[in-house]
Amino acid sequence: MEYVGTHTPDGDEKMIEAAYQELLDGYLRSNHRKKVEIIERAFRFAKEAHKGVRRRSGEPYIMHPIAVARIASQEIGLGSTSICAALLHDVVEDTDYTVEDIEQHFGPKIAQLVEGLTKISGGIFGDKASVQAENFRKLLLTMSEDIRVVLIKMADRLHNMRTLGSMAPNKRYKIAGETLYIYAPLAHRLGLFAIKTELEDLSFKHEHPDIYREISEKIRESESRRSSVYSDFSKPIKDKLDELGIKYEAKARLKSIYSIYNKMESKHLPFEEVYDLYAMRIVFDCDDPSKEKGICWSIYAAITDLYQLHPARTRDWIVTPKANGYQALHLTVMGPDGNWIEVQIRSRRMDEIAEKGFAAHWKYKIGEGDEESELNAWLKTIKDILDNPEPSAIDFLSTLKLNLFASEIVVFTPEGDLVTLPSGATVLDLAFNLHSEIGLHCIAGKVNHKLMPLQTELKSGDQVEVLTSKSQMPLPEWDACLVTAKAKTRLRKGIRALRQPIVVKGNEILSAWLRDNDIEDNNFVITKIQGIFHVQNREDLCYQLGAEEIVLGDFLVKPLRKASQTARQGKSLFSKIPLIGKMVGSSAPEPEVKPEARPQEINTKQIYRLCNTADGPNYRLAGCCNPLPGDDVMGYIADDGSVEIHSLDCPQAQVLKAGFGSRIVATEWATGDELFLAHIRVEGIDRHGILQELMTLISTHLGIDVRKLDIEASAEVFHADLWVRVSDADVVDDLCRRTLAISGVTRATRIH
């Protein structure tokens, strides 16, 4: 933000008052108690505090808190306390007012929310990995104290995404990246489906504007055909429901642009072959919750009388709601055009929870006596992980994402209790979920009364009894058969606790041996010993010494004294050497870098031009996604100062955007004659001469150099993998289109 004067023009004043009135009108239409006076005071207070300040977009800064409050109120369904906190959420950080001032004017509850929002105001991530993890821990710990802090933060992020266009490109990539990496899955886990979908679409729009426009245009072009198909499909259903006397609302729910793109990418499909572009949603009115289930199944029966059911794609989320409170009955039937169409059946109450999130019905709204929900249990799981974070911040974020992204299964204990676990969870996951001690001493499980090993993957509906033995001890290999973050964290904590006495003993042996041989205990010496015994860190070295797996002998004395002497000689020089990109938690010594070898400083605020120089390319292509000119890419400034190029939607790029935002640089390709390696997969019906036609097209007609070819034919079907040298992504797209024109070829796609 920037200061642009002390007076607000009349036009700004009218715009601010109109936006505030819109917020107030929406609040007055809600079913919350009408506490207008305190909202009015919070607005006037925030307006005065932010007076004279504008956002990058040029509008008065107070428009942002008003917009956040409106999202919190009208799109999430929060009440007056949250509206006040949203209006005041930037006051403490951006002005001279303190949390104590807020408490004095508005009471302890609003002050507590504002303080929670101020704690996490810098975004989830900072410049260093340790700061990222710490900020993320703050966010999630605050969530377990009062979920409203995170919900208001969601509203704040949504408004920032809606106004992201005024930011510099590298900032857009960073914010869009962390939104996709953390905020969207967190919104999904909290049941904020509408917000989750919009966050994904906005992130996608800013990362891939051309593809976003292209898909949007194709959706518009196919609208009349879709409407016709939907009308033919829905009319018989509506007639049947009218006959039954059910009060309902039926509508077509279009798949989000981001979901369509994901399906096109993951299945290698063109837009025209994404048939499940829409689903039908039926929302019925029912005042008595006990009758909802019966009405759902009567609608189900009516639909299956009319259309052929897909038996494997029926989902009953009514009897067993999702962990975020989502309830509905989903079925998939064959439509009149021969394609499968999903139908979602919900009551009005279920629909409200699905759209605004179960969080809107949290116990602060219902009352303290409310029974503990699955969401509350999930927050406890998060807190459990926070108590024992991973030493590496990136591992910590990845561990948490295991829980954020997981789709769920439900299993039963022998007593009939339900336990919700991520898809893919094992017997051992369940054991750790029940209790640390059960997990640490687990030997096997009885799944549906059959004895099964620890690593057995569980399915929804399984009844599982965990078997334990006091003599069983946890093993590091168990980590490979765990899916849940809670289990991985508890296993590592248990193994560390078992190893600790041996590590302490080994450390004493190491210190005594170095002292007796007059060798200094420093980084150079320990690194040398680690290299000799092939261990990764000091803890593993001490463990092996304590467990008597290795022994320190006289043969070590000479090389270690030399290493110690080198360290002493290099100390004064080493202290003057500039450090480049030191990784958090690294135990290895920093390399000596001469001042003249330091890489040139790169301005992340400017667009970095990718080109060939006298010394070669001024970038390097990431091996994880193999980008080409023409792809949407970004630069990442690596530890050695070089610029590494990733596709914007590469999984590794998602981690980098979310975790190292200050190192992201916007890039553009310079035109040149450089060639790049691209991987293309071709599939089709095998016939005589098809390979010759393919090679003639590529090398003769198109003049493209083939570097490698793998082809396999089986049962009249062939699969070919080609590696070709091309100038840009357009050449690959053209090659795929022309290859598809060859008789018998059914698919030709680029593999990233």
Side-chain angles (χ1 to χ4, degrees):
M1 76 179 74
E2 51 191 73
Y3 293 85
V4 295
T6 55
H7 300 289
T8 308
D10 289 344
D12 285 349
E13 187 64 32
K14 286 178 184 173
M15 179 171 68
I16 292 166
E17 291 297 328
Y20 171 64
Q21 196 55 51
E22 198 175 345
L23 162 67
L24 212 54
D25 291 345
Y27 170 67
L28 292 170
R29 287 194 300 271
S30 74
N31 56 5
H32 287 277
R33 287 175 292 171
K34 306 299 181 275
K35 296 183 178 177
V36 176
E37 185 271 333
I38 195 167
I39 294 175
E40 178 77 27
R41 280 198 294 117
F43 166 63
R44 300 296 163 200
F45 189 96
K47 184 182 171 189
E48 185 59 33
H50 294 301
K51 190 174 181 179
V53 184
R54 293 184 182 273
R55 301 189 85 206
R56 284 184 196 275
S57 58
E59 67 179 14
Y61 193 82
I62 186 63
M63 294 296 288
H64 170 64
I66 294 171
V68 173
R70 188 171 161 225
I71 293 167
S73 169
Q74 294 170 30
E75 297 184 44
I76 302 178
L78 300 176
S80 59
T81 305
S82 300
I83 292 171
C84 291
L87 287 167
L88 299 163
H89 79 273
D90 279 334
V91 166
V92 172
E93 187 185 7
D94 294 341
T95 74
D96 294 332
Y97 288 106
T98 64
V99 173
E100 288 71 27
D101 295 329
I102 302 292
E103 184 169 356
Q104 189 179 343
H105 284 84
F106 301 101
K109 195 68 214 175
I110 291 171
Q112 185 189 332
L113 291 178
V114 171
E115 184 180 23
L117 287 158
T118 304
K119 276 183 195 171
I120 57 174
S121 61
I124 287 178
F125 301 102
D127 292 340
K128 295 180 180 176
S130 58
V131 178
Q132 297 156 14
E134 194 49 45
N135 283 344
F136 198 27
R137 288 184 72 208
K138 280 181 191 171
L139 174 80
L140 295 164
L141 281 170
T142 309
M143 181 199 291
S144 53
E145 289 162 12
D146 192 327
I147 192 74
R148 286 177 291 188
V149 170
V150 177
L151 297 177
I152 298 167
K153 187 65 184 170
M154 281 288 173
D156 180 41
R157 175 49 58 117
L158 181 56
H159 185 248
N160 283 335
M161 287 301 296
R162 286 173 178 173
T163 56
L164 195 58
S166 57
M167 303 290 283
N170 66 314
K171 288 277 188 187
R172 287 207 300 270
Y173 295 157
K174 174 195 182 298
I175 293 168
E178 71 183 22
T179 299
L180 266 183
Y181 191 71
I182 296 296
Y183 282 94
L186 194 54
H188 177 75
R189 208 68 173 81
L190 294 169
L192 303 168
F193 295 113
I195 288 177
K196 170 242 184 192
T197 301
E198 189 176 351
L199 287 174
E200 287 177 339
D201 272 5
L202 287 169
S203 297
F204 178 59
K205 181 181 180 180
H206 286 289
E207 290 196 338
H208 302 281
D210 295 337
I211 303 173
Y212 182 90
R213 275 194 301 273
E214 188 183 324
I215 295 175
S216 301
E217 188 57 41
K218 286 183 175 178
I219 288 172
R220 276 194 297 275
E221 288 170 1
S222 63
E223 189 172 356
S224 59
R225 181 178 57 81
R226 267 197 337 271
S227 297
S228 172
V229 171
Y230 174 73
S231 180
D232 292 344
F233 174 73
S234 61
K235 190 178 183 307
I237 296 174
K238 290 176 181 177
D239 293 344
K240 193 94 170 175
L241 297 186
D242 291 340
E243 277 177 38
L244 292 170
I246 296 171
K247 286 181 66 180
Y248 68 94
E249 178 191 352
K251 55 190 173 185
R253 178 191 149 273
L254 187 67
K255 210 178 184 76
S256 73
I257 292 176
Y258 179 70
S259 298
I260 293 169
Y261 171 73
N262 265 350
K263 183 141 195 178
M264 287 166 64
E265 284 294 296
S266 61
K267 304 281 188 187
H268 302 298
L269 296 173
F271 176 86
E272 293 70 26
E273 288 182 29
V274 180
Y275 293 116
D276 58 340
L277 277 182
Y278 70 90
M280 182 182 185
R281 181 174 295 160
I282 298 169
V283 181
F284 62 86
D285 295 320
C286 177
D287 297 330
D288 184 354
S290 65
K291 293 180 180 174
E292 289 176 344
K293 184 178 169 185
I295 296 172
C296 279
W297 285 105
S298 63
I299 295 172
Y300 172 93
I303 295 169
T304 51
D305 283 347
L306 293 165
Y307 296 111
Q308 177 66 41
L309 176 72
H310 191 311
R313 283 165 64 177
T314 300
R315 298 286 181 270
D316 180 2
W317 301 115
I318 300 170
V319 174
T320 312
K322 288 189 179 183
N324 52 27
Y326 179 82
Q327 283 184 290
L329 181 59
H330 292 194
L331 65 150
T332 301
V333 293
M334 179 73 76
D337 61 345
N339 290 311
W340 295 107
I341 297 174
E342 184 181 67
V343 183
Q344 302 168 353
I345 305 168
R346 306 172 178 171
S347 69
R348 188 72 58 190
R349 178 189 67 82
M350 294 174 193
D351 190 57
E352 188 181 327
I353 291 174
E355 291 306 302
K356 289 191 173 175
F358 188 77
H361 303 263
W362 193 244
K363 61 185 176 186
Y364 61 76
K365 183 174 170 183
I366 303 167
E368 288 296 321
D370 184 39
E371 288 181 11
E372 185 180 74
S373 68
E374 282 287 344
L375 185 57
N376 202 349
W378 179 72
L379 293 175
K380 280 191 171 180
T381 300
I382 288 293
K383 195 153 187 173
D384 188 59
I385 299 164
L386 296 173
D387 289 339
N388 300 284
E390 294 295 312
S392 156
I394 295 299
D395 287 350
F396 171 65
L397 293 175
S398 301
T399 302
L400 280 163
K401 277 180 65 62
L402 287 175
N403 267 17
L404 294 180
F405 274 129
S407 54
E408 292 132 0
I409 60 168
V410 177
V411 299
F412 298 87
T413 66
E415 292 75 32
D417 295 329
L418 291 177
V419 180
T420 303
L421 294 167
S423 179
T426 61
V427 169
L428 194 55
D429 279 303
L430 174 63
F432 276 109
N433 184 282
L434 296 172
H435 197 278
S436 291
E437 287 302 307
I438 296 175
L440 294 171
H441 300 293
C442 175
I443 53 170
K446 277 189 177 177
V447 181
N448 303 323
H449 308 291
K450 285 179 68 178
L451 194 63
M452 302 297 280
L454 294 175
Q455 64 270 29
T456 303
E457 193 174 310
L458 302 175
K459 298 188 289 295
S460 250
D462 282 345
Q463 186 191 59
V464 189
E465 180 184 352
V466 178
L467 306 178
T468 60
S469 167
K470 287 183 180 178
S471 62
Q472 176 73 300
M473 289 294 134
L475 299 168
E477 305 89 78
W478 285 6
D479 192 83
C481 62
L482 290 173
V483 168
T484 59
K486 175 191 267 189
K488 284 177 178 283
T489 302
R490 288 182 168 182
L491 171 64
R492 288 166 196 171
K493 185 183 177 186
I495 289 172
R496 275 200 298 273
L498 277 177
R499 284 166 56 108
Q500 202 53 37
I502 301 170
V503 171
V504 170
K505 179 184 170 187
N507 195 47
E508 289 169 357
I509 293 169
L510 176 63
S511 298
W513 187 87
L514 292 173
R515 195 170 51 248
D516 292 346
N517 287 282
D518 194 26
I519 298 169
E520 193 177 331
D521 187 343
N522 61 39
N523 240 2
F524 279 82
V525 169
I526 300 303
T527 303
K528 186 79 175 173
I529 301 174
Q530 286 170 207
I532 291 167
F533 288 110
H534 306 293
V535 291
Q536 287 191 330
N537 51 50
R538 183 175 183 133
E539 185 179 309
D540 287 348
L541 174 66
C542 292
Y543 177 78
Q544 291 194 21
L545 284 169
E548 298 180 0
E549 293 175 9
I550 57 173
V551 178
L552 299 172
D554 293 342
F555 69 95
L556 291 169
V557 174
K558 189 176 178 180
L560 293 183
R561 280 182 179 159
K562 191 176 178 182
S564 184
Q565 188 180 2
T566 304
R568 279 195 295 272
Q569 288 171 348
K571 232 172 222 178
S572 58
L573 171 66
F574 187 68
S575 63
K576 297 173 187 174
I577 292 167
L579 302 182
I580 299 175
K582 183 175 179 181
M583 292 301 290
V584 175
S586 172
S587 60
E590 291 295 331
E592 293 187 17
V593 181
K594 296 174 185 176
E596 61 269 23
R598 188 174 180 129
Q600 185 182 346
E601 197 74 26
I602 293 167
N603 186 350
T604 57
K605 293 180 181 177
Q606 293 179 348
I607 293 177
Y608 184 78
R609 195 166 169 78
L610 307 172
C611 58
N612 269 322
T613 67
D615 298 325
N618 64 349
Y619 61 89
R620 69 169 184 263
L621 298 176
C624 47
C625 53
N626 298 311
L628 299 175
D631 288 339
D632 291 330
V633 296
M634 64 161 211
Y636 166 70
I637 302 170
D639 293 342
D640 61 1
S642 64
V643 176
E644 189 174 272
I645 305 303
H646 289 263
S647 292
L648 274 174
D649 48 5
C650 153
Q652 182 62 20
Q654 299 291 358
V655 175
L656 296 174
K657 283 179 286 188
F660 298 94
S662 61
R663 293 200 198 180
I664 301 303
V665 59
T667 59
E668 67 176 14
W669 297 95
T671 52
D673 53 5
E674 191 180 354
L675 294 176
F676 302 83
L677 203 62
H679 178 190
I680 295 168
R681 181 162 296 155
V682 181
E683 298 172 7
I685 308 301
D686 192 21
R687 64 173 172 80
H688 182 69
I690 195 167
L691 178 60
Q692 186 179 352
E693 278 185 49
L694 179 61
M695 297 310 293
T696 302
L697 168 72
I698 295 170
S699 52
T700 306
H701 294 316
L702 299 179
I704 294 173
D705 186 13
V706 179
R707 307 301 293 169
K708 184 180 174 186
L709 169 65
D710 284 341
I711 188 162
E712 182 182 344
S714 173
E716 311 306 317
V717 174
F718 82 90
H719 303 266
D721 282 290
L722 298 111
W723 284 263
V724 293
R725 286 168 64 83
V726 295
S727 57
D728 57 42
D730 289 342
V731 175
V732 178
D733 293 341
D734 181 55
L735 173 56
C736 289
R737 275 195 301 273
R738 289 177 181 242
T739 303
L740 276 170
I742 295 174
S743 174
V745 173
T746 57
R747 181 162 293 172
T749 51
R750 176 182 162 199
I751 305 299
H752 294 276

